Amino acid sequence: MLDLKEKLESLMKKRDLLEKKDETLIISDFDDTIFCRKDQLEKSQLLRENRWDLWNQVIMNIIWLENFINEHYIWKEFPKNIICQFKIWKDLILTAWFKDLQLEKIKATKLDIYNHIVVEKAPEKIYETIRYVIEDLWFIPNKIQVYEDRPEYFVENKNLIEDFLWTTLEIMFVEMIDNQNEPNLKKIA
């Protein structure tokens, strides 16, 4: 498998052809950044005791995806302070985890009108951010603002993203309390 720098080499020629624009691109994670999962963990011992990869197995094989989505996402309110800044066809929900589950959650919350990408693991968000700018956005924004509840990969790769895209990366740490209150936002880089 190619490492990040090798994958980026394939994007260099395309990057060099792009126009730089005085715009901000907003990228946000979904879980615990736009939509808080705290209620799910509090209400379900099964989910609480089966985290990470086991969580997916429990949802797909015991609870069933449709039941999970109907109970926890359909018609549920959530804070809009991040998503209300989004521009359709430009900004991006970039989330990691089990693709079918993430896509259903985005659809159930009616956020599928926005660009969205689901990666398998969080470190892949770095390459997908760069690839998205070059191959989907088709211009280089002068600023990329990232909202994340687990921003460590963006923090670790801030210089790489800025240098490769000739842009400024602003990273906002998001701490959600629940889905009734606006999350706490703190600029960390």
Side-chain angles (χ1 to χ4, degrees), residues 57-70:
Q57 293 174 24
V58 165
I59 291 170
M60 299 306 285
N61 301 319
I62 298 172
I63 298 173
W64 300 101
L65 179 59
E66 184 177 352
N67 294 337
F68 177 76
I69 295 298
N70 287 339

Side-chain angles (χ1 to χ4, degrees), residues 122-139:
E124 297 170 29
K125 290 181 178 185
I126 304 309
Y127 172 74
E128 278 302 316
T129 294
I130 295 169
R131 190 212 55 77
Y132 175 79
V133 167
I134 293 170
E135 294 185 339
D136 296 341
L137 197 57
W138 296 339
F139 70 85

Side-chain angles (χ1 to χ4, degrees), residues 20-21 23-25 133 137 139-144 167:
K20 180 128 171 140
K21 292 188 179 182
E23 292 194 35
T24 298
L25 168 65
V133 167
L137 197 57
F139 70 85
I140 298 175
N142 69 335
K143 179 175 157 186
I144 299 174
T167 192

Side-chain angles (χ1 to χ4, degrees), residues 86-146:
F86 268 51
K87 292 179 184 64
I88 295 176
W89 308 115
K90 185 176 100 181
D91 297 317
L92 176 67
I93 297 171
L94 178 58
T95 190
W97 214 9
F98 183 60
K99 188 172 185 171
D100 291 345
L101 175 58
Q102 292 304 94
L103 291 174
E104 287 300 318
K105 292 190 296 190
I106 290 168
K107 182 179 173 185
T109 54
K110 301 189 182 334
L111 297 177
D112 56 338
I113 62 168
Y114 300 106
N115 294 329
H116 51 278
I117 296 172
V118 178
V119 295
E120 190 174 323
K121 304 223 181 274
E124 297 170 29
K125 290 181 178 185
I126 304 309
Y127 172 74
E128 278 302 316
T129 294
I130 295 169
R131 190 212 55 77
Y132 175 79
V133 167
I134 293 170
E135 294 185 339
D136 296 341
L137 197 57
W138 296 339
F139 70 85
I140 298 175
N142 69 335
K143 179 175 157 186
I144 299 174
Q145 190 171 44
V146 175

